[in-house]
Amino acid sequence: MSSAEISTHHDAAHGEHHGPAKGIRRWLFATNHKDIGTMYLVFSLLMFFTGGFMALIIRTELFSPGLQFVHPEFFNQMTTMHALIMVFGAVMPAFVGLANWMIPMMIGAPDMALPRMNNWSFWILPVAFGILLSTLWMPGGAPASGWTMYPPLVLQTGDAFPFLIFSVHLMGFSSIMGAINIIVTIINMRAPNMTLLAMPMFVWTWLITAYLLIAVMPVLAGAVTMLLTDQFFGTSFFLAAGGGDPVMFQHIFWFFGHPEVYIMILPAFGVVSEIIPTFSRKPLFGHDSMVYAASSIAFLSFIVWAHHMFTVGMPLTGQLFFMFATLLIAVPTGVKVFNWVATMWQGAMTFETPMLFSLGFVFLFTIGGFSGLMLAVVPADIQYHDSYFVVAHFHYVLVPGSIFGIMAATYYWLPKWAGHMYNEKLGRIHFWMSAIFVNVTFFPMHFLGLAGMPRRIPDYSTQFADFNSIASVGAIGFGLSQLLFVYIVFRCVRGDGATATAEVWDNPRGLEWTVPSPAPYHTFEEPPEVTDGKAFS
């Protein structure tokens, strides 16, 4: 055999060994970071529509006063399942999918550090949510206690209770394994000469997020395990009749729950910090200060948990501490907002779809931040607590915040994934429909809350009717708008658009733009050299 034939034979064997497997095996046994990232993103989209359908049931019931379509018990099941599915099934897996796809490409790594664990961390999720959704058909119905699972109410759940706890445990396993993988990849597999501070902001925000996940998911696991033992093994951690304290559960849950809020928003900060410089044709203003601000937010998230609990009878000193600590988070968050604005200042800005979603993120997330500051003030919070004002606040953080960040990232990197451009005109229509309807849905809820409408109720007095009708129309419009998003992505992946170049956009920064579009199955056979700051966003 000649040397040329040997070389050809070697290349064929190499391709056969290292290319994707065929059929279902490719996905069941996937270890490639791009395949696993794709599965996370598709799964999160399915959960987004599942949770969204539940939200439409809620808003249809609330369209007008009186009990219209569903029983109050089922209404409460929908509010609980909607929240659990959106938080753990839609937002978090979407960001993990983006991390899987982009972090190795952004740091010059050939793959994730622990590819088999990566596969396991994904495949646990469909099992977890299959278990959770199956509770809808169990005697007593699905959990109806709210996503916070407060005792003693959650202990009144029917046969679904242990399945709820088990599914939460599985979600936690998945998150912890994904976080370990991301940390090990970032710390050990960066390209030569890429220092930590030379990493793009998306990588930085995910590194911080991964540490948050490892710190707080075991706390949630501990809390729900104590619920389990209270229910089945005779303990009284949270049962007052046995000497326990239900408020202790709130402390433990929110010690997890508040960092969880930042787990869902920090990666979106990273996405926006990649997109705004690209479409402003300027480097990110204050890259290092953005890193320190994200780290400060993560640290402060551990010492503000009880601002969710100002009405439980907390001592005055406790109220003052948690109020001032919460207000302090506005400082590093403000640093980020001002840095994004400074990046855009005097830039040669263009308004492609990723930039529109990023601008929508900055503007609308800031509104959510301001209402958060209002909630941080104890005397005001006592009035706002458990009202629709709180619902408006956290949806302004999570929908135009997390969800818009995910959509911005999808439009930004989709041509790199698929090798084709999406339909820009349809993308802009999708943005404007989403931006309008998200405000029509959630802005009236501020007024409902200020007027005294409680959250998690299926019926209300006629004084709240008009704003509820407006919010329900907005919710239906927002839900239908996302069908356009699916159509745009489907057409792009199918190859209907123009062929994408390697850079895709006008002179973007970062290693992911140095590889062809679509990105090859194995991105870097040799680690790229980072010598000119190209890794900076």
Side-chain angles (χ1 to χ4, degrees), residues 454-475:
R455 63 199 284 197
R456 294 184 187 147
I457 56 165
D459 191 12
Y460 53 85
S461 62
T462 54
Q463 64 176 334
F464 304 128
D466 292 345
F467 280 137
N468 267 304
S469 297
I470 294 169
S472 292
V473 169

Side-chain angles (χ1 to χ4, degrees), residues 58-118:
I58 294 164
R59 287 310 326 168
T60 303
E61 177 59 53
L62 293 173
F63 181 79
S64 57
L67 294 174
Q68 316 287 329
F69 302 104
V70 297
H71 292 293
E73 298 83 1
F74 186 72
F75 182 90
N76 288 336
Q77 292 172 30
M78 287 293 97
T79 57
T80 303
M81 296 287 278
H82 163 72
L84 288 169
I85 287 168
M86 284 302 201
V87 169
F88 296 110
V91 174
M92 289 173 66
F95 280 129
V96 177
L98 292 171
N100 262 290
W101 247 105
M102 298 314 302
I103 286 176
M105 292 170 64
M106 295 171 104
I107 64 173
D111 206 312
M112 298 295 280
L114 305 163
R116 293 188 187 280
M117 192 167 83
N118 206 13

Side-chain angles (χ1 to χ4, degrees), residues 12-335:
H14 183 272
E16 184 182 319
H17 179 68
H18 290 282
K22 298 291 184 282
I24 192 69
R25 290 178 58 83
R26 172 175 179 176
W27 307 104
L28 280 176
F29 304 112
T31 53
N32 182 279
H33 70 99
K34 299 181 182 72
D35 285 352
I36 293 171
T38 300
M39 291 194 295
Y40 267 113
L41 291 169
V42 171
F43 176 80
S44 74
L45 187 66
L46 290 172
M47 290 296 104
F48 178 59
F49 279 99
T50 304
F53 179 72
M54 293 174 176
L56 291 182
I57 293 173
I58 294 164
R59 287 310 326 168
T60 303
E61 177 59 53
L62 293 173
F63 181 79
S64 57
L67 294 174
Q68 316 287 329
F69 302 104
V70 297
H71 292 293
E73 298 83 1
F74 186 72
F75 182 90
N76 288 336
Q77 292 172 30
M78 287 293 97
T79 57
T80 303
M81 296 287 278
H82 163 72
L84 288 169
I85 287 168
M86 284 302 201
V87 169
F88 296 110
V91 174
M92 289 173 66
F95 280 129
V96 177
L98 292 171
N100 262 290
W101 247 105
M102 298 314 302
I103 286 176
M105 292 170 64
M106 295 171 104
I107 64 173
D111 206 312
M112 298 295 280
L114 305 163
R116 293 188 187 280
M117 192 167 83
N118 206 13
N119 174 284
W120 195 22
S121 70
F122 170 76
W123 281 111
I124 285 174
L125 280 180
V127 176
F129 284 92
I131 292 168
L132 183 63
L133 287 166
S134 72
T135 61
L136 287 162
W137 291 274
M138 291 181 184
S145 58
W147 84 286
T148 52
M149 300 175 281
Y150 281 177
L153 183 58
V154 74
L155 299 177
Q156 297 169 24
T157 305
D159 290 1
F161 179 75
F163 294 91
L164 166 68
I165 304 303
F166 186 45
S167 67
V168 169
H169 272 298
L170 289 175
M171 296 170 204
F173 279 136
S174 172
S175 295
I176 290 169
M177 287 195 292
I180 290 169
N181 213 344
I182 287 166
I183 290 170
V184 176
T185 302
I186 294 171
I187 297 299
N188 288 338
M189 299 182 68
R190 299 190 308 280
N193 301 326
M194 183 184 284
T195 62
L196 283 173
L197 279 176
M199 295 193 310
M201 272 308 300
F202 180 72
V203 180
W204 255 113
T205 52
W206 242 117
L207 180 64
I208 295 164
T209 300
Y211 278 111
L212 284 179
L213 279 166
I214 289 172
V216 302
M217 292 311 290
V219 177
L220 176 64
V224 298
T225 303
M226 286 189 273
L227 285 175
L228 194 72
T229 60
D230 276 6
Q231 183 78 322
F232 295 112
F233 298 101
T235 59
S236 294
F237 290 109
F238 309 126
L239 299 175
D245 183 3
V247 174
M248 182 170 76
F249 178 86
Q250 295 189 30
H251 281 287
I252 299 169
F253 179 87
W254 286 116
F255 187 81
F256 147 80
H258 201 77
E260 170 67 17
V261 173
Y262 293 102
I263 286 165
M264 291 189 284
I265 201 65
L266 280 171
F269 287 172
V271 167
V272 171
S273 300
E274 301 297 325
I275 293 172
I276 288 177
T278 296
F279 296 101
S280 301
R281 276 78 182 172
K282 286 175 61 184
L284 180 65
F285 181 90
H287 176 279
D288 291 7
S289 67
M290 293 284 265
V291 172
Y292 299 135
S295 305
S296 303
I297 290 169
F299 170 74
L300 291 170
S301 73
F302 284 102
I303 58 170
V304 298
W305 75 88
H307 68 211
H308 298 268
M309 303 167 52
F310 284 146
T311 58
V312 301
M314 197 182 302
L316 178 63
T317 48
Q319 291 181 332
L320 287 171
F321 170 81
F322 286 108
M323 178 173 75
F324 290 133
T326 304
L327 292 170
L328 190 60
I329 284 191
V331 176
T333 308
V335 168

Side-chain angles (χ1 to χ4, degrees), residues 443-500:
F443 205 79
M445 293 183 187
H446 292 101
F447 303 121
L448 288 169
L450 292 172
M453 181 173 167
R455 63 199 284 197
R456 294 184 187 147
I457 56 165
D459 191 12
Y460 53 85
S461 62
T462 54
Q463 64 176 334
F464 304 128
D466 292 345
F467 280 137
N468 267 304
S469 297
I470 294 169
S472 292
V473 169
I476 293 166
F478 184 79
L480 292 175
S481 303
Q482 306 324 308
L483 296 175
L484 179 60
F485 175 63
V486 175
Y487 175 71
I488 294 166
V489 172
F490 174 75
R491 278 191 56 182
C492 180
V493 171
R494 198 176 64 177
D496 287 357
T499 302

